[in-house]
Amino acid sequence: MSTTDPAAPPVNPNKALWEKGDFTRIAQAMRESGEELVKTLEIRSGLSVLDLGCGDGTTAIPGAELGADVLGVDIAANLVAAGNARAGELGLANCRFQEGDASDLSGLGDDSFDLVVSIFGAMFAPRPFDVAKEMVRVTRPGGRIVMGNWIPNDPTLVAQILRISAAYSPPPPEGFVSPMTWGVEETVVERFTAAGVPEDKISFERDTYTFVFPGTPSEFLDQFRTSYGPTMNAYAAAGANGREAELHAELDALFNEQNESQTDEVTRIPATFLRVTVEV
Ligand SMILES: C[S@@+](CC[C@H](N)C(=O)[O-])C[C@H]1O[C@@H](n2cnc3c(N)ncnc32)[C@H](O)[C@@H]1O
């Protein structure tokens, strides 16, 4: 007998991936750089900000603390709930989180935001041309979009985790566009120009996010193994082929090599990303 309920909505793999595990545990290692990045966004009281793929608010919450009206949108229901809980505990009435898909922001009106921020968020949504179009549509003329995107083949932590994991995972389904393509300047230009933005309004810079974890690099890897959906899937795929120990050894070497901290009490790993600014 089949256990599939024919009335159940189809599983959205993008949503399932990010609701898996508990990304808030990884996000805790990203707070310091999140706050630093937000300080560079010229946020002032009353600015209307959309944080897309906001997770539990690593950038949304500091933005609200600087006085902006912040809406965080994320596909993962558990992360939206965690963000609302954090905003509530901090008494931030100007910060709220709701579920949504960066590929289709149909619940949000045209020209609604002064600033749309997406730090390692919208890059993970399917249909990147729709993502660019939606970000441009909800930004008011004269406003800005700022994205942080991991860079393919970059030698630092996140690109390497994703590269190593891919080598142990089955090939993606046909038509799948890698999120890492958002880290290629020409591709980003193609997507935003298709959304109507002139090329000279799109600029790029290399920036760094530093992961800070209270423990050893191997303990930090354990957090990824138990809490970060993409890494959990890679371990499951490697395990199915009897290659889990091999994957673990490769990742453990990576985490230890990239650690810049001199003590066992804390791990500090810098990771390079592409910062994209679009003037709408
Ligand atoms: C690496 S996390 C980054 C979260 C957050 N921006 C931060 O810096 O901590 C990626 C986030 O993108 C969200 N995400 C993935 N696909 C999405 C989509 N299609 N629409 C909206 N959010 C999405 C995930 O749920 C997750 O919270």
Side-chain angles (χ1 to χ4, degrees), residues 42-49 62-70 94 114:
E42 296 161 32
I43 288 180
R44 56 186 184 281
S45 187
L47 204 78
S48 175
V49 177
E65 285 173 333
L66 289 174
D69 287 318
V70 182
N94 55 331
D114 300 301

Side-chain angles (χ1 to χ4, degrees), residues 164 167-168 235 238 241-253:
I164 293 168
Y168 289 83
Y235 271 90
N241 294 313
R243 299 180 68 203
E244 188 173 339
E246 208 184 317
L247 168 64
H248 187 65
E250 251 196 272
L251 289 175
D252 196 51

Side-chain angles (χ1 to χ4, degrees), residues 14 18 23 53-55 58 74-76 79 100-102 119-121 124-126:
N14 175 222
W18 291 99
F23 180 74
C54 56
T58 292
D74 199 283
I75 199 152
L79 300 178
D101 186 335
I119 305 303
F120 323 127
F124 290 103

Side-chain angles (χ1 to χ4, degrees), residues 106-265:
S106 45
L108 304 178
D110 297 357
D111 309 339
S112 298
F113 300 94
D114 300 301
L115 173 66
V116 174
V117 183
S118 190
I119 305 303
F120 323 127
M123 67 173 287
F124 290 103
R127 306 197 306 279
F129 279 91
D130 290 350
V131 171
K133 203 168 83 191
E134 284 295 76
M135 287 196 286
V136 171
R137 180 183 68 77
V138 301
T139 307
R140 71 160 176 78
R144 261 177 313 149
I145 300 168
V146 177
M147 290 184 90
N149 300 331
W150 300 119
I151 302 166
N153 303 317
D154 184 81
T156 60
L157 187 75
V158 182
Q160 290 301 311
I161 296 176
L162 298 175
R163 180 190 63 77
I164 293 168
S165 300
Y168 289 83
S169 305
E174 214 183 304
F176 175 82
V177 181
S178 166
M180 301 301 279
T181 54
W182 276 108
V184 179
E185 295 184 18
E186 306 79 71
T187 306
V188 174
V189 167
E190 228 183 295
R191 291 170 183 169
F192 281 112
T193 51
V197 177
E199 187 168 346
D200 64 354
K201 300 290 178 192
I202 308 166
S203 57
F204 300 97
E205 140 192 18
R206 303 258 153 164
D207 206 339
T208 303
Y209 235 62
T210 301
F211 290 83
V212 184
F213 174 78
T216 65
S218 300
E219 287 164 349
F220 190 32
L221 169 58
D222 281 341
Q223 294 252 290
F224 275 78
R225 184 181 190 162
T226 55
S227 313
Y228 183 63
T231 308
M232 294 167 78
N233 282 352
Y235 271 90
N241 294 313
R243 299 180 68 203
E244 188 173 339
E246 208 184 317
L247 168 64
H248 187 65
E250 251 196 272
L251 289 175
D252 196 51
L254 172 73
F255 276 65
N256 279 280
E257 279 160 19
Q258 303 256 336
N259 178 30
E260 290 191 345
S261 164
Q262 303 300 322
T263 77
D264 275 355
E265 280 79 59

